[in-house]
C-alpha cells in the first residue's frame, strides 16, 4: 500500500468509509485554467442538454437582443462558466460582456463602482451582502422567483440545492438579494509523502497540527502555509480557528474577537506560522498558499476546499498523486467549526436589464448548467452535481467528501453574522491586521486582538 493510500484509508469521511448512498444523503443535509476548461468535453447544445432546458416552462427567447455585463473575480466559478456563455447566448439571444479581474482588485473596485450608481455591471459576484443591501445596490429577488413568466420552480428544483445554499442568501426579512453560485469550506491539505516519511498520522487537533507541522518541515519545505496578509480577504482560515475555539466575530452588533477564545485561537495561528510557516508568510494571500502546496514548497496548507481542482490536476500540481484532503482540525474536546461560504451573484438594482439578468442567473445555477460546471471541477450548490461521477472525477472523490464533512461541521449563522454585517469589510480588515501582527511577532495575541477589536467597534459606531 502506498503511503498516500494508508493515509486515505484512515481519513474520516474518505471514500472507503461511505457508500455513494450515504454521500448523497449527506449532501442534502449539509449545513453542506480557462484554456484547460475550454478543452473539456463540451456538452454545449448536445441533444440531452438542450432537451433539459426545453423542459422548462420558460420562454428563453423573451429578452433576445439584450446585452448584460457580468463582473466578477478570476475564480473557479468564472473559469467554469465562461466556456458555457456562448451556449446561453444561443439559447436566449442575450449577449454577455464579461469583466473578470484578480480577486483583490475586483473586491476593492466593485463597491466604488456600485456606489457611483451606474447601471452596469448588471450581474456581479458578491461577498459583502450586508453592505450591499444597506447601500441599496442589490435588487430584491423574491418577486422574480414568483414570476411564472421567468421562473419554472418545478424545473429549477430548489430541493436539489444544498441546505446551506438555500439558507445562505436569506435576509432577516426573508427576502433574497443574491443567488449562491459555489460552495466551499476551509479544508486541510496534506502532502502524504511528507507525513509518511515521518510515519505520522493525519493531525486531528490543533496541538497535533502544531507538532506535525514542526516535525515535517525541512529547509526546502515549510510545515504549513496559511493566509496572513493584513487585509480582510485573508481572513478565512484565521476565522476557522476562531470559530473552532468557540469564538465569534460579531455578536449583538459588536466585534467580539478579543474574547479569551479568540485570543487563544489566534495565538495558535501565530505559533503555527511563526514556527513552521514559509518565509515572508506575513504577506501570504490564498494564491501564495496554493502555489506553495502545488510546488511542494509546503507540506500542509489550510484554505478553501475549492483548491482541490488545482491540487488534483497533474498538469498543474506536483502533489496530485500524494495529496490528502482532510477535515479541518479541532480543539481537543470540541467539534471543528471551519468557516464556510457560498460565493453569490447579485443583480444591480440600477440595471436596465434586470429580467434578462435574472434569467441568466436562473440558467447559470440550474441543474443542467451545474452538471456542466461540476464536470470542470466546480463545487456548485447542487446535490445532483456534487453526486455526479464527472464532478468526483474532476474534484476528487476524497476531496469532495472532505469538503462535505467541513460543510456539515460549519456554522452558517456565525459565517453570515460577519459576511452580512453592513461593516464587514472594515471589521475583517481590522481583524487581519491583528492576526498579521501576531504572525509577524510584532505583538502578542492579547494586545493585537484587543486593539483590532477596538478599531473595528469604532468603525461600527461611525
Amino acid at each position: 500500500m502506498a503511503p498516500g493510500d494508508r493515509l486515505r484509508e484512515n481519513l474520516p469521511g474518505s471514500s472507503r468509509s461511505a457508500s455513494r448512498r450515504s454521500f448523497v444523503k449527506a449532501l442534502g443535509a449539509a449545513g453542506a485554467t480557462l484554456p484547460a476548461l475550454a478543452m473539456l468535453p463540451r456538452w454545449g447544445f448536445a441533444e440531452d442538454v438542450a432537451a433539459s432546458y426545453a423542459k422548462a416552462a420558460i420562454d428563453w427567447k423573451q429578452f433576445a437582443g439584450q446585452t448584460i455585463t457580468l463582473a466578477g473575480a478570476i475564480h473557479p466559478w468564472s473559469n467554469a462558466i465562461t466556456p458555457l456563455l456562448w451556449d446561453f447566448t444561443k439559447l436566449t439571444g442575450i449577449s454577455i460582456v464579461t469583466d473578470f479581474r484578480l480577486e483583490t482588485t475586483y473586491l476593492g473596485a466593485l463597491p466604488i463602482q456600485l456606489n457611483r450608481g451606474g447601471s452596469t455591471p448588471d450581474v456581479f459576484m458578491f461577498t459583502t451582502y450586508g453592505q450591499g443591501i444597506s447601500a441599496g445596490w442589490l435588487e430584491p429577488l423574491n418577486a422574480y422567483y414568483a414570476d411564472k413568466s421567468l421562473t419554472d420552480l418545478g424545473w429549477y428544483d430548489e430541493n436539489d440545492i444544498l441546505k446551506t445554499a438555500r439558507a445562505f442568501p436569506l435576509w432577516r426579512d426573508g427576502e433574497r438579494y443574491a443567488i449562491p453560485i459555489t460552495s466551499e469550506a476551509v479544508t486541510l491539505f496534506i502532502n502524504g509523502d511528507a507525513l509518511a516519511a515521518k510515519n505520522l498520522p493525519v493531525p486531528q487537533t490543533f496541538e497535533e497540527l502544531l507538532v506535525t507541522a514542526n516535525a515535517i518541515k525541512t529547509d526546502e519545505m515549510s510545515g504549513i502555509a496559511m493566509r496572513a496578509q493584513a487585509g480582510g480577504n485573508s481572513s478565512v482560515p484565521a476565522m476557522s480557528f476562531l470559530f473552532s475555539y468557540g469564538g465569534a466575530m460579531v455578536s449583538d452588533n459588536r466585534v467580539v474577537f478579543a474574547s479569551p477564545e479568540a485570543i487563544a485561537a489566534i495565538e495558535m495561528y501565530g505559533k503555527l506560522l511563526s514556527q513552521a510557516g514559509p518565509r515572508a508568510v506575513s504577506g501570504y494571500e490564498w494564491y501564495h498558499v496554493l502555489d506553495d502546496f502545488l510546488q511542494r514548497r509546503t507540506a500542509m496548507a489550510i484554505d478553501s476546499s475549492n483548491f482541490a481542482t488545482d491540487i488534483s490536476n497533474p498538469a498543474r500540481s506536483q502533489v496530485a498523486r500524494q495529496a490528502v484532503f482532510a477535515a479541518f482540525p479541532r480543539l481537543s474536546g470540541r467539534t471543528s467549526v471551519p468557516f464556510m461560504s457560498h460565493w453569490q451573484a447579485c443583480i444591480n438594482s440600477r440595471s436596465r436589464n434586470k429580467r434578462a439578468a435574472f434569467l441568466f442567473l436562473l440558467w447559470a445555477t440550474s441543474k443542467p448548467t451545474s452538471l456542466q460546471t461540476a464536470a470542470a471541477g466546480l463545487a456548485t450548490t447542487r446535490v445532483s452535481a456534487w453526486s455526479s461521477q464527472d464532478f468526483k472525477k474532476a474534484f476528487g472523490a476524497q476531496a469532495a467528501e472532505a469538503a462535505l464533512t467541513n460543510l456539515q461541521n460549519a456554522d452558517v449563522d456565525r459565517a453570515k453574522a460577519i459576511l452580512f454585517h453592513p461593516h464587514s469589510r472594515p471589521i475583517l480588515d481590522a481583524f487581519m491586521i491583528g492576526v498579521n501582527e501576531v504572525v509577524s511577532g510584532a505583538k502578542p495575541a492579547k494586545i493585537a486582538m484587543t486593539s483590532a477589536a477596538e478599531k473595528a467597534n469604532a468603525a461600527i459606531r461611525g
Side-chain angles (χ1 to χ4, degrees), residues 41-59:
R42 289 293 308 279
W43 293 11
F45 268 74
E47 290 183 4
D48 55 342
V49 178
S52 297
Y53 297 118
K55 289 177 183 177
I58 297 170
D59 176 7

Side-chain angles (χ1 to χ4, degrees), residues 81-103:
I81 204 69
T82 296
L84 305 179
L85 294 179
W86 170 244
D87 292 349
F88 174 74
T89 297
K90 191 172 180 180
L91 175 69
T92 64
I94 300 168
S95 298
I96 305 285
V97 175
T98 59
D99 179 14
F100 296 130
R101 312 180 196 181
L102 289 173
E103 187 170 318

Side-chain angles (χ1 to χ4, degrees), residues 10-272:
N10 295 327
L11 178 67
S14 73
S15 57
R16 300 185 183 211
S17 64
S19 67
R20 182 179 184 278
R21 178 179 296 179
S22 64
F23 177 64
V24 176
K25 181 179 179 182
L27 285 169
T33 61
L34 190 54
L37 288 167
M39 293 169 63
L40 288 168
R42 289 293 308 279
W43 293 11
F45 268 74
E47 290 183 4
D48 55 342
V49 178
S52 297
Y53 297 118
K55 289 177 183 177
I58 297 170
D59 176 7
W60 291 105
K61 295 287 189 184
Q62 60 187 297
F63 307 115
Q66 292 190 20
T67 298
I68 61 175
T69 300
L70 170 63
I74 296 171
H75 178 275
W77 183 79
S78 56
N79 286 348
I81 204 69
T82 296
L84 305 179
L85 294 179
W86 170 244
D87 292 349
F88 174 74
T89 297
K90 191 172 180 180
L91 175 69
T92 64
I94 300 168
S95 298
I96 305 285
V97 175
T98 59
D99 179 14
F100 296 130
R101 312 180 196 181
L102 289 173
E103 187 170 318
T104 50
T105 303
Y106 172 72
L107 292 174
L110 183 65
I112 298 171
Q113 188 174 0
L114 293 173
N115 200 44
R116 289 172 180 161
S119 60
T120 59
D122 300 282
V123 178
F124 48 89
M125 294 171 63
F126 203 61
T127 55
T128 51
Y129 202 51
Q131 179 189 23
I133 293 171
S134 300
W137 298 336
L138 312 184
E139 178 74 3
L141 300 181
N142 281 0
Y144 294 84
Y145 279 102
D147 187 338
K148 292 184 178 180
S149 69
L150 274 177
T151 309
D152 180 347
L153 289 176
W155 173 81
Y156 188 65
D157 189 9
E158 289 189 285
N159 287 329
D160 182 52
I161 297 174
L162 292 167
K163 285 188 176 181
T164 52
R166 294 202 299 271
F168 206 69
L170 291 176
W171 195 235
R172 59 179 67 98
D173 60 359
E175 181 63 80
R176 286 178 282 189
Y177 294 83
I179 298 181
I181 54 176
T182 65
S183 304
E184 58 189 301
V186 172
T187 295
L188 171 62
F189 310 104
I190 305 169
N191 181 327
D193 286 353
L195 279 192
K198 297 287 186 177
N199 197 30
L200 291 169
V202 173
Q204 305 286 318
T205 68
F206 291 112
E207 288 295 342
E208 289 173 0
L209 184 69
L210 180 62
V211 170
T212 302
N214 276 304
I216 60 181
K217 68 180 181 180
T218 67
D219 291 341
E220 294 77 31
M221 181 186 290
S222 68
I224 189 168
M226 298 183 289
R227 307 186 210 185
Q229 198 174 92
N233 198 51
S234 296
S235 60
V236 167
M239 284 194 291
S240 298
F241 277 66
L242 185 152
F243 292 165
S244 294
Y245 270 72
M249 292 291 288
V250 292
S251 179
D252 297 325
N253 202 36
R254 280 190 57 79
V255 164
V256 292
F257 52 66
S259 67
E261 296 83 1
I263 290 167
I266 302 309
E267 187 172 42
M268 173 58 77
Y269 199 83
K271 279 184 183 179
L272 279 159

